[in-house]
């Protein structure tokens, strides 16, 4: 998300019929929210040097998430342009295939930020200020949603690339990334559910 735009403006762009930004970029923003909430938990844990180190990493991960989200918007625009070509356009198959592969790699980049955030989430569950446990739980929910969104986007782009005759090598690489994100999603969803259950009477 361009840092010069207010959140409301960016959300308005997300709601337009351009598809750029789209679901992939939205997933990156969710990861940025998770990183910020985890950073807050770390900041409220001043007596543990591990928390200070985590806070520094989380600043970088938040920046990584937002950069990946912004880049995904440009990729989505290219993908939309390729899909908008006439069915009989001589370059449509190649354009759609290459754009789908690029969009899949972009979703994978977003997902990898999410995977890195899992370590920080688990650390802060262990050492974080217990008064911030609700904020940690909200961050975990945002992280689960961000990884899930990146996973769905990647798999959708993988399907499009396959339909437009992507090479087995390219499909295999992206398929492996999809598998890693699926496992990460399951891990975070279980973690998030366990955190949330602590607030039940």
């Amino acid at each position: 998300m361009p840092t010069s735009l207010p959140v409301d403006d960016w959300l308005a762009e997300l709601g337009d019929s351009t598809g750029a930004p789209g679901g992939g970029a939205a997933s990156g923003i969710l990861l940025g929210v998770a990183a910020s909430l985890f950073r807050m938990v770390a900041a409220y844990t001043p007596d543990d040097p591990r928390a200070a180190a985590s806070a520094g990493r989380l600043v970088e991960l938040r920046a990584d998430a937002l950069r990946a989200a912004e880049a995904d918007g440009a990729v989505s625009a290219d993908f939309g342009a390729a899909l908008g070509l006439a069915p009989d356009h001589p370059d449509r198959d190649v354009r759609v295939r290459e754009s789908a592969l690029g969009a899949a790699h972009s979703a994978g980049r977003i997902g990898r930020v999410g995977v890195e955030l899992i370590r920080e989430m688990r650390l802060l569950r262990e050492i974080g200020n217990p008064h911030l446990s609700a904020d940690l739980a909200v961050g975990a929910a945002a992280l689960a949603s961000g990884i899930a969104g990146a996973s769905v986007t990647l798999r959708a782009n993988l399907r499009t690339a396959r339909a437009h005759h992507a090479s087995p090598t390219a499909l295999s690489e992206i398929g492996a990334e999809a598998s890693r994100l699926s496992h990460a999603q399951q891990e975070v969803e279980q973690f998030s559910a366990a955190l949330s259950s602590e607030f039940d009477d």
Side-chain angles (χ1 to χ4, degrees):
M1 183 177 73
T3 55
S4 60
L5 287 181
V7 171
D8 187 60
D9 288 354
W10 189 87
L11 291 176
E13 288 186 13
L14 181 64
D16 283 343
S17 59
T18 62
S27 300
I29 298 302
L30 287 168
L31 297 182
V33 169
S36 290
L37 284 166
F38 295 160
R39 170 67 176 76
M40 182 171 67
V41 175
Y44 273 100
T45 311
D47 298 326
D48 194 319
R50 292 174 296 174
S54 178
R57 292 191 297 268
L58 286 163
V59 169
E60 293 300 319
L61 288 170
R62 181 182 62 206
D64 288 345
L66 296 184
R67 281 192 292 265
E70 186 171 3
D72 191 80
V75 170
S76 293
D78 291 340
F79 195 12
L83 290 170
L85 293 173
D88 59 350
H89 191 288
D91 296 329
R92 188 177 190 277
D93 192 61
V94 173
R95 288 272 303 278
V96 170
R97 179 175 68 243
E98 295 307 309
S99 295
L101 290 172
H105 285 296
S106 180
R109 176 186 174 187
I110 292 169
R112 287 191 294 276
V113 176
V115 171
E116 290 188 54
L117 283 167
I118 294 174
R119 178 181 67 168
E120 309 302 333
M121 176 185 69
R122 289 198 171 279
L123 174 65
L124 292 168
R125 178 69 182 93
E126 175 187 346
I127 68 171
N129 186 328
H131 296 297
L132 276 291
S133 57
D135 299 289
L136 183 66
V138 175
L143 177 57
S145 295
I147 291 177
S151 176
V152 168
T153 303
L154 187 151
R155 287 182 282 117
N157 294 329
L158 176 62
R159 182 178 65 179
T160 301
R162 183 182 295 113
H164 289 269
H165 315 106
S167 71
T169 300
L171 294 174
S172 176
E173 178 184 349
I174 297 171
E177 186 83 74
S179 180
R180 287 191 290 271
L181 284 185
S182 179
H183 288 304
Q185 178 183 345
Q186 293 174 18
E187 178 183 356
V188 179
E189 285 175 348
Q190 292 172 1
F191 190 95
S192 178
L195 279 178
S196 179
S197 69
E198 295 179 3
F199 301 100
D200 295 335
D201 292 332

